[in-house]
C-alpha cells in the first residue's frame, strides 16, 4: 500500500506556482489576486477560508477576505459579488459554502462571472467541462485528477466508482473520470443515497472515490484487493485524544481499508490540500488570462 500524499504533492504544486508568480512579477506583471467571501462564522468554514488565504500568501498572491454577518441579506451579498466581478485587480472569487438557508447558493454562484469563478461551480464552467473545453475545473475533483496524475495511476479502461453525487464533488468527478483525457477514460459508476447494492458495486471498483460525508462509512468488505481509494470526506468528530477536542475523519475506515489498497489518500493530508492547490492553480490561470 502506498499513500497518495496530498500534503506533499500540494506543496510541490505550490512551489511551482510560486516560481511562476516570481516570473510574472519579473516581467512587469501583477500578483494574482484571490478574493473570498465568508458569510457567518461557522467553525469549519473559517478554517477552510483561513487555509486558502494562508496558501495565497505562501505562493505570493494577494488575497482579500470579505466577512459578512450570518443574517446579511441576499441582495447585499450579491452586490459584494458584483463589486468584485467589476474590480480589475481581482482575478478569482470564491464564496465559501454552505451559505445560510435564506440565501440561494445557485443565485450567488450564477452571479460570479465565469472568468473569475475559480471554484469552477458556475454553470458555464461546468458546461464547458462537459464538452472538454478549456474551463475552470471544480477545485476538489481537479485536485484529485492532479494527485492521480502525479502518482502515475493508470486510469484508462478501469472501473471507477464514485460514492456521492454532489454538484461540487461527486457529479463533476464522475464526468471527469469518464472524459477522454490522460487521467480519465474510466468506465464510471456514480452511486448515491438511493443506490441499493452499493457494496457489490464498490467491491468491483479499481478506483473508488468516496464523497458522502459519513465518517468511516467505507469498510474493508466494500473494497477490492489492490484498489485505489480516494477519500474526500472530512467530518469533525469529538475526540478526547487531541488538544482541541476534535479530530478530522474521512469517509473511509482507513486502518482496515488501507492494507487492501494499492494506493489510498489519508485524512487529513490527502484531498483537502489538493483542493486548495487547485484553487491557486485556477487563480493563476485567471490572472494569466486577464
Ligand atoms: P453532499 O452532502 O453535498 O453530498 C453527499 C452525497 O452523498 C449525496 O449525493 C448523497 O446522495 C450521497 N450519500 C449519502 N448517503 C449515502 C449512502 N448511504 N450511500 C451512498 N451515497 C450516499 O456532500 P459533498 O459536498 O460532496 O461532501 C462530501 C464530503 O466531502 C463531506 O465530508 C465534505 O466535508 C467533504 N468535502 C471535502 C473536500 C475536500 O477538499 N477534501 C471538498 C468538498 C467536500
Amino acid at each position: 500500500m502506498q499513500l497518495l500524499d496530498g500534503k506533499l504533492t500540494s506543496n510541490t504544486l505550490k512551489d511551482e506556482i510560486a516560481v511562476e508568480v516570481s516570473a510574472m512579477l519579473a516581467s512587469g506583471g501583477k500578483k494574482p489576486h484571490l478574493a473570498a467571501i465568508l458569510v457567518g462564522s461557522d467553525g469549519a468554514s473559517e478554517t477552510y477560508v483561513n487555509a486558502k488565504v494562508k496558501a495565497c500568501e505562501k505562493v505570493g498572491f494577494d488575497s482579500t477576505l470579505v466577512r459578512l454577518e450570518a443574517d446579511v441579506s441576499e441582495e447585499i451579498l450579491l452586490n459584494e459579488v458584483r463589486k468584485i466581478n467589476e474590480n480589475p485587480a481581482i482575478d478569482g472569487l470564491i464564496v465559501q459554502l454552505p451559505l445560510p438557508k435564506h440565501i440561494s447558493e445557485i443565485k450567488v454562484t450564477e452571479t460570479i462571472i465565469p472568468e473569475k469563478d475559480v471554484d469552477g461551480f458556475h454553470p458555464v464552467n461546468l458546461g464547458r467541462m462537459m464538452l472538454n473545453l478549456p474551463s475552470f475545473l471544480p477545485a476538489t475533483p481537479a485536485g484529485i485528477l492532479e494527485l492521480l496524475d502525479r502518482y502515475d495511476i493508470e486510469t484508462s479502461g478501469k472501473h471507477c466508482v464514485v460514492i456521492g453525487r454532489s454538484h461540487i464533488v461527486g457529479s463533476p468527478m464522475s464526468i471527469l473520470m469518464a472524459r477522454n483525457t490522460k487521467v480519465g477514460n474510466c468506465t464510471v459508476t456514480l452511486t448515491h443515497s438511493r443506490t441499493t447494492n452499493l457494496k457489490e458495486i464498490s467491491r468491483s471498483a479499481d478506483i473508488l472515490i468516496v464523497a458522502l460525508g459519513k465518517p468511516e462509512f467505507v469498510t474493508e468488505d466494500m473494497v477490492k484487493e489492490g484498489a485505489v481509494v480516494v477519500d474526500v470526506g472530512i467530518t469533525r468528530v469529538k475526540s478526547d485524544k487531541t488538544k482541541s477536542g476534535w479530530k478530522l475523519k474521512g469517509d473511509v475506515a482507513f486502518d482496515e481499508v488501507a492494507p487492501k489498497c494499492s494506493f489510498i489518500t489519508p485524512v487529513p493530508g490527502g484531498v483537502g490540500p489538493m483542493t486548495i492547490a487547485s484553487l491557486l492553480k485556477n487563480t493563476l490561470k485567471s490572472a494569466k488570462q486577464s
Side-chain angles (χ1 to χ4, degrees), residues 140 164-166 169 192-193 211-214 217 232-234 271-272 275:
T140 300
R165 60 178 162 190
S166 72
V169 188
H192 45 78
S193 53
L212 78 160
K214 295 193 173 161
F217 177 87
V232 185
I234 308 178
V271 175
T275 297

Side-chain angles (χ1 to χ4, degrees), residues 27-281:
S27 60
K30 72 164 194 65
K31 286 182 176 185
H33 189 157
L34 176 70
I37 300 181
L38 176 64
V39 181
S41 54
D42 170 72
S45 293
E46 285 266 358
T47 309
Y48 296 143
V49 165
N50 288 335
K52 288 167 189 174
V53 168
K54 220 168 112 194
C56 282
E57 282 165 19
K58 190 169 176 219
V59 297
F61 288 6
D62 281 329
S63 64
T64 299
L65 175 57
V66 178
R67 286 174 175 276
L68 300 172
E69 296 295 329
D71 61 356
V72 70
S73 72
E74 187 177 89
E75 202 40 42
I76 290 178
L77 171 57
L78 293 177
N79 279 334
E80 284 297 329
V81 170
R82 290 182 193 114
K83 263 198 270 174
I84 293 171
N85 281 343
E86 285 157 18
N87 183 345
I90 294 176
D91 304 295
L93 166 62
I94 56 166
V95 177
Q96 185 65 44
L97 302 179
L99 290 169
K101 294 245 175 328
H102 66 280
I103 296 175
S104 156
E105 284 188 359
I106 187 63
K107 224 187 227 178
V108 173
T109 302
E110 284 191 301
T111 303
I112 300 172
I113 51 170
E115 293 79 7
K116 293 193 182 185
D117 167 44
V118 288
D119 254 337
F121 296 162
H122 192 284
V124 166
N125 279 316
L126 290 173
R128 292 180 68 86
M129 176 192 81
M130 280 286 294
L131 299 169
N132 215 350
L133 294 170
S135 66
F136 292 122
L137 294 181
T140 300
I144 294 170
L145 291 188
E146 185 90 44
L147 194 58
L148 296 175
D149 190 25
R150 297 216 175 204
Y151 276 85
D152 280 326
I153 306 287
E154 181 57 74
T155 58
S156 181
K158 305 286 183 194
H159 183 207
C160 174
V161 173
V162 179
I163 305 183
R165 60 178 162 190
S166 72
H167 293 150
I168 62 169
V169 188
S171 291
M173 195 72 239
S174 68
I175 290 161
L176 290 167
M177 292 304 281
R179 290 197 313 183
N180 185 3
T181 46
K182 185 175 170 234
V183 181
N185 286 307
C186 285
T187 305
V188 177
T189 306
L190 179 59
T191 65
H192 45 78
S193 53
R194 304 287 178 97
T195 300
T196 48
N197 51 343
L198 183 61
K199 193 199 280 192
E200 197 182 304
I201 297 169
S202 69
R203 277 181 73 87
S204 73
D206 302 306
I207 301 169
L208 181 62
I209 302 177
V210 192
L212 78 160
K214 295 193 173 161
E216 304 194 321
F217 177 87
V218 170
T219 45
E220 173 275 323
D221 55 332
M222 296 172 73
V223 178
K224 178 162 97 175
E225 196 71 49
V228 175
V229 174
V230 176
D231 186 354
V232 185
I234 308 178
T235 307
R236 283 205 308 172
V237 294
K238 285 212 162 114
S239 167
D240 50 18
K241 293 200 182 91
T242 62
K243 229 169 43 185
S244 65
W246 295 96
K247 194 173 178 227
L248 293 183
K249 283 248 186 243
D251 286 346
V252 175
F254 185 89
D255 292 345
E256 59 180 85
V257 170
K260 280 187 106 172
C261 299
S262 53
F263 293 90
I264 185 168
T265 59
V267 176
V271 175
M274 290 306 295
T275 297
I276 295 183
S278 293
L279 185 67
L280 298 174
K281 217 173 144 185

